[in-house]
Structures are given as C-alpha cells and as structure tokens.
Amino acid sequence: MNKNETSSQLHKAMGFKDLLLFFVATGISIRWVAVAAASGPSAITVWVIAGVVFYVPLVVTVLELWSRYPQEGGLYKWSQHAFGDFAGFMTGWFYWTSLLPYFPALLYYIAGNALFIGGQRWQHLSNSPTYFIITSLLCLALVTTLNLVGLNVAKWLNNIGTLVDWVATLGLVIIGVVAWLKFGSATEFTLASMLPGLSLKNAIFWAAVVFAFTGIEAGPVLGDEINHARRILPRALLLAGVIIAGTYIIGTLSVLLSLPSTEVTNLQGITQAFEKVGNRIGLTGLAPVAAAFIAVSFVGKIGAWITTGARLPFVAGVDHFLPAAFSRVHRKWGTPYVSILIQSALVALLTMLGQAGTSV
C-alpha cells in the first residue's frame, strides 16, 4: 500500500471549531500562569516580549510551512521536503521522544490537582506512589481508548477540556477583579517591578515562558484528518494565537491582583489563588471546584497530545523508517491504532518508573 492510500484511510474528523480548540489545548497551560505570577509583575512584561519575539514568528512560520506542505505529519514533512527523508525522520523522532516524558508529567499534575477535590481528607495520598500510578494509568487508558475509537470521538475530550479550562480562567479573572475592587491590588505595580531582571532565576523563568508558548505547531501534524484544511487552519491558528497570548497575560495579571507573588507556589498556584481569594471575598469552598476543573482540562490536554504524538511514528512507518506495523490504520475507526497503542504502552512504563523512582 502506497503513502497516498494509507493517508486516505484516515478519517477527516476535525472542523474549524475542533481545530481551534485543539490549538488552544496544545498551546496553553494554566499552570504557567501560576509560574509567571510567582515571578512578580515583571512576568507581564516577559509575556509581551516573548509573544513578540518568539510566538509571533512561530505562528508565521507554521502558517507559511503549512501552506506549502499540508500533509499528515506537520513538522516531520516540512523538514523532509526541505532537507530530505532522514532529516524529516529525525525531526519527527526527536519531537516524539521529547513528548514521551512530558506525558507522565501531565498525568502526575492531574493526579496532584485531583487531591484538592477532596480537601484535607485526600491529602494523605500526596505521598502515595500507588495513588499516582493508578490515577495516571486510568487517565491514560481513557484517552487511549478514545483515540483508538476515532478522532471524531477523541476530539470531544479535547474540546470539553479546553472549554473547562476557559471557564476556570474566566473564574480566575472574575475573582481577581472582585478582590481588586474590594481590597485594592495585592501586588504593587511600578516601573521598577515591571522590568525583568537578569538573574539566573529570571533566566530560567524566561525559558519557561518560551516553552509555554510552544504547542501551536501540533495542529498541522493532523494534516490529512482536517476538513478543508487549507481554508480553516490559518483562521483557527491566528484566532488561537490571540486567545493563548491573551489568556496568559490576563490570567497572570488576575493572580497578581489577587495575591502577592510571594504567596503563589508554582505547583498548585491556581488552586491556591481560588482558595485564598475566595476566602477573602467571602466565597469559601472554591478550591475543590477549581481543582476539578483543572484536572478535567488537563485530561483533555493530554488527550490532544496523545493524538499528536501518535501521528509521528505513524508517518515514519509509512515512510519505512519504522516497522510497517506503525503505518497500519484501523479499517473501521480510521486511526493509526498500532502507533497509539505502542505510544501509550511506553507512556505507561515511564509513568510507573517515574513513581517508582520517587519512592526509592
């Protein structure tokens, strides 16, 4: 079976709204808002600088390359057309292998936030590797099953996760504004505090901001599974770019209005913001709700990344750089099921090894 026949077996399941929400799911993570807020008012300036010097060029690059090579595989195909087959394979290989350890990190984050749903009653599980492994594997099993059944089903998990993320962000903005109107800003914004420092700590934060702005390149990896891709992708990408950049900046500002940066921790900063600010404005019990929203949004996010990651070994299988089994498409569901299963097996192994390492 040739490459065109293999690609034609994939189902075109993504419309404009699906692609827009997919871009947002892979391009934004509310946890970076907490990381930014912990760095103080200068984080706003860093977001703007990173948006101008990194994010805008990235969006323009993705648009240009996509318009030339819209096939399944995205950056794999872009490198292949520009530098040859081996360069394309290595680009896809390194991108895929960099995602593998990222998946357990997302799964652990989901498990960690889920503990706040039960309040203090569940906090004893925070030191339980068994809890983290079981919760992570259950989430992985859910997203893997949906991806196997088809992108037309799996996309709904991505969509729901993104919409829940927006609701959580909107809630964060609302309580930040309420706290500001009632008590004034919890953070002092001055010209000096808005200027980024040149310390090692700030340099590390700058790297985190750049990483937070990546992910917009994931959508084109699904090239042959997008309806009217040439027409809808540019609009979805540009609108998603505005949403992502705006969410990071407005979300960080809301946290800083609500809490001093010294009171924000990087790991559960958003849940913490909901809890502390809710108590200040007379709305208790927000933390469990916020934790549930964040957990659901990240389940949708990992679903989107599982979808993206599995397409790269699939394309490599089509090009015969990996065993032909990777290129198999399910006759009924139109999914690269072998790539999905192998990827999820590797993620499950890394997840268990990671927690085993923390318990030693």
Side-chain angles (χ1 to χ4, degrees):
M1 185 177 295
N2 61 40
K3 298 178 183 180
N4 291 333
E5 289 175 334
T6 302
S7 295
S8 67
Q9 293 181 335
L10 299 170
H11 293 175
K12 291 186 178 295
M14 303 285 280
F16 174 77
K17 292 180 181 178
D18 303 317
L19 187 58
L20 172 62
L21 294 173
F22 187 90
F23 274 132
V24 175
T26 58
I28 192 170
S29 176
I30 197 171
R31 64 178 174 154
W32 296 120
V33 171
V35 174
S39 297
S42 65
I44 304 295
T45 306
V46 174
W47 281 126
V48 174
I49 294 173
V52 172
V53 303
F54 176 78
Y55 194 52
V56 172
L58 176 61
V59 171
V60 172
T61 300
V62 171
L63 280 174
E64 172 63 21
L65 292 172
W66 165 258
S67 66
R68 296 187 183 190
Y69 314 115
Q71 302 98 332
E72 187 88 359
L75 47 80
Y76 177 110
K77 289 297 181 182
W78 303 340
S79 296
Q80 185 181 59
H81 283 287
F83 305 110
D85 290 343
F86 183 71
F89 167 72
M90 293 306 296
T91 299
W93 176 260
F94 283 126
Y95 194 87
W96 181 57
T97 53
S98 71
L99 287 178
L100 292 178
Y102 179 58
F103 293 137
L106 289 179
L107 291 168
Y108 297 158
Y109 189 78
I110 293 168
N113 269 279
L115 290 176
F116 285 84
I117 299 173
Q120 291 299 319
R121 293 177 293 117
W122 292 7
Q123 288 305 307
H124 69 280
L125 295 172
S126 61
N127 295 319
S128 171
T130 302
Y131 161 76
F132 278 88
I133 290 174
I134 292 175
T135 303
S136 298
L137 293 182
L138 287 175
C139 290
L140 179 61
L142 171 64
V143 299
T144 300
T145 301
L146 294 179
N147 270 280
L148 285 172
V149 173
L151 189 55
N152 60 328
V153 176
K155 69 181 183 182
W156 289 106
L157 180 63
N158 311 337
N159 295 352
I160 291 171
T162 303
L163 292 173
V164 168
D165 202 3
W166 280 348
V167 171
T169 303
L170 179 61
L172 186 66
V173 172
I174 290 174
I175 65 172
V177 170
V178 171
W180 174 54
L181 292 176
K182 290 188 69 172
F183 308 108
S185 176
T187 302
E188 183 179 3
F189 293 90
T190 64
L191 180 60
S193 66
M194 294 291 289
L195 293 176
L198 298 177
S199 65
L200 177 61
K201 178 182 178 181
N202 282 314
I204 295 173
F205 168 62
W206 279 56
V209 167
V210 171
F211 180 76
F213 269 135
T214 60
I216 207 78
E217 73 285 345
V221 174
L222 307 176
D224 292 333
E225 298 170 83
I226 302 171
N227 281 303
H228 310 293
R230 286 187 179 274
R231 178 166 58 85
I232 71 171
L233 190 139
R235 289 187 292 130
L237 180 59
L238 292 173
L239 181 55
V242 173
I243 292 172
I244 291 166
T247 299
Y248 278 140
I249 294 171
I250 295 173
T252 302
L253 179 60
S254 297
V255 174
L256 290 174
L257 288 174
S258 308
L259 294 172
S261 60
T262 54
E263 294 185 19
V264 182
T265 60
N266 291 352
L267 186 57
Q268 284 92 24
I270 300 301
T271 305
Q272 179 192 53
F274 274 100
E275 181 177 23
K276 289 191 174 183
V277 180
N279 291 338
R280 287 183 68 192
I281 64 177
L283 292 176
T284 59
L286 288 182
V289 177
F293 274 56
I294 292 170
V296 171
S297 71
F298 269 80
V299 172
K301 190 179 303 297
I302 197 169
W305 279 113
I306 287 287
T307 300
T308 300
R311 270 59 183 176
L312 294 170
F314 162 71
V315 177
V318 173
D319 286 344
H320 306 295
F321 279 105
L322 290 177
F326 282 90
S327 67
R328 291 178 184 169
V329 178
H330 197 279
R331 291 183 180 181
K332 178 180 178 181
W333 298 328
T335 56
Y337 66 101
V338 174
S339 291
I340 293 171
L341 288 172
I342 291 176
Q343 175 180 259
S344 292
L346 291 172
V347 174
L349 178 61
L350 290 173
T351 300
M352 290 186 288
L353 289 176
Q355 275 303 314
T358 61
S359 64
V360 173

